[in-house]
């Protein structure tokens, strides 16, 4: 199985908003749209089974653009969220979501997960079997930043 972690496209951040819940409604920029469109082109060679996205607007919009050349079902997973949570708990929730993906899909499937940048830490912890804890650094991705994780059942 391949799980392709994808950071959302360039964010159209409203610097005047300080409420973390409202920030989750930020969309992507015109440049982000171009980024996602270009990435979608590169995915034509993959047979994508599903796209799983966090509920953030910028993640969903990125997933929809990526899906233009794929036509896979898009599913939300609220566990790809780090807002208002202790870091260890956010990692655990993310890793539970990844584990459910691994259990649901077949070994020859390719799945895309579109999430925010810090969630790459959970993917690294999951695939390298690192227990979540508050000392794990906030690894950050930017732009589309795809990373392919291979998993053998």
């Amino acid at each position: 199985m391949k799980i392709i972690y994808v950071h959302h496209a360039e964010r159209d951040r409203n610097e005047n908003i300080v409420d973390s819940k409202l920030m989750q409604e930020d969309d992507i920029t015109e440049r982000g749209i171009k980024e996602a469109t270009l990435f979608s082109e590169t995915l034509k060679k993959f047979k994508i089974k599903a796209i799983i996205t966090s509920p953030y607007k910028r993640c969903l919009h990125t997933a929809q653009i990526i899906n233009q050349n794929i036509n896979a079902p898009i599913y939300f997973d609220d566990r790809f969220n780090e807002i208002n949570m202790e870091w260890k708990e956010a990692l655990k929730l993310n890793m539970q979501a990844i584990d459910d993906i691994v259990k649901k899909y077949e070994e020859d499937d390719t799945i895309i997960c579109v999430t925010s940048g810090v969630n790459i830490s959970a993917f690294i912890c999951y695939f390298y079997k690192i227990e979540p804890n508050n000392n794990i650094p906030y690894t950050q991705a930017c732009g589309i930043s795809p990373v392919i994780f291979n998993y053998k059942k």
Side-chain angles (χ1 to χ4, degrees):
M1 165 182 293
K2 287 182 179 29
I3 297 180
I4 304 174
Y5 161 88
V6 178
H7 179 269
H8 58 77
E10 183 180 72
R11 179 182 188 170
D12 188 12
R13 187 167 201 151
N14 183 341
E15 298 297 332
N16 296 322
I17 296 176
V18 293
D19 181 320
S20 60
K21 288 190 181 200
L22 292 177
M23 283 191 281
Q24 301 321 313
E25 291 304 311
D26 290 348
D27 204 350
I28 58 177
T29 64
E30 286 299 316
R31 180 178 166 180
I33 291 169
K34 290 176 185 171
E35 248 176 16
T37 302
L38 181 61
F39 181 58
S40 176
E41 289 290 322
T42 67
L43 291 171
K44 286 181 179 179
K45 64 183 178 183
F46 290 94
K47 185 177 178 190
I48 308 298
K49 186 77 170 186
I51 300 174
I52 298 151
T53 179
S54 83
Y56 303 157
K57 185 175 186 176
R58 62 190 177 274
C59 296
L60 174 60
H61 195 180
T62 301
Q64 290 168 330
I65 295 168
I66 289 171
N67 203 27
Q68 290 174 1
N69 287 308
I70 299 168
N71 296 316
I74 297 175
Y75 302 103
F76 288 104
D77 196 319
D78 289 328
R79 294 174 294 181
F80 288 118
N81 179 1
E82 70 284 350
I83 298 300
N84 298 326
M85 255 186 267
E86 183 180 283
W87 183 231
K88 179 180 175 180
E89 294 309 309
L91 289 169
K92 280 184 183 179
L93 275 179
N94 280 209
M95 292 171 72
Q96 288 169 1
I98 297 164
D99 196 51
D100 286 348
I101 293 166
V102 165
K103 290 175 182 171
K104 180 176 181 178
Y105 293 97
E106 302 298 322
E107 192 164 322
D108 61 343
D109 290 338
T110 300
I111 309 300
I112 295 175
C113 293
V114 182
T115 73
S116 57
V118 297
N119 293 340
I120 186 70
S121 296
F123 284 79
I124 293 167
C125 287
Y126 184 88
F127 288 100
Y128 287 93
K129 298 181 182 357
I130 300 168
E131 285 296 316
N133 65 71
N134 286 325
N135 296 320
I136 291 173
Y138 293 90
T139 306
Q140 180 69 353
C142 60
I144 291 288
S145 302
V147 178
I148 299 175
F149 292 94
N150 291 303
Y151 183 83
K152 297 283 184 200
K153 288 191 177 197

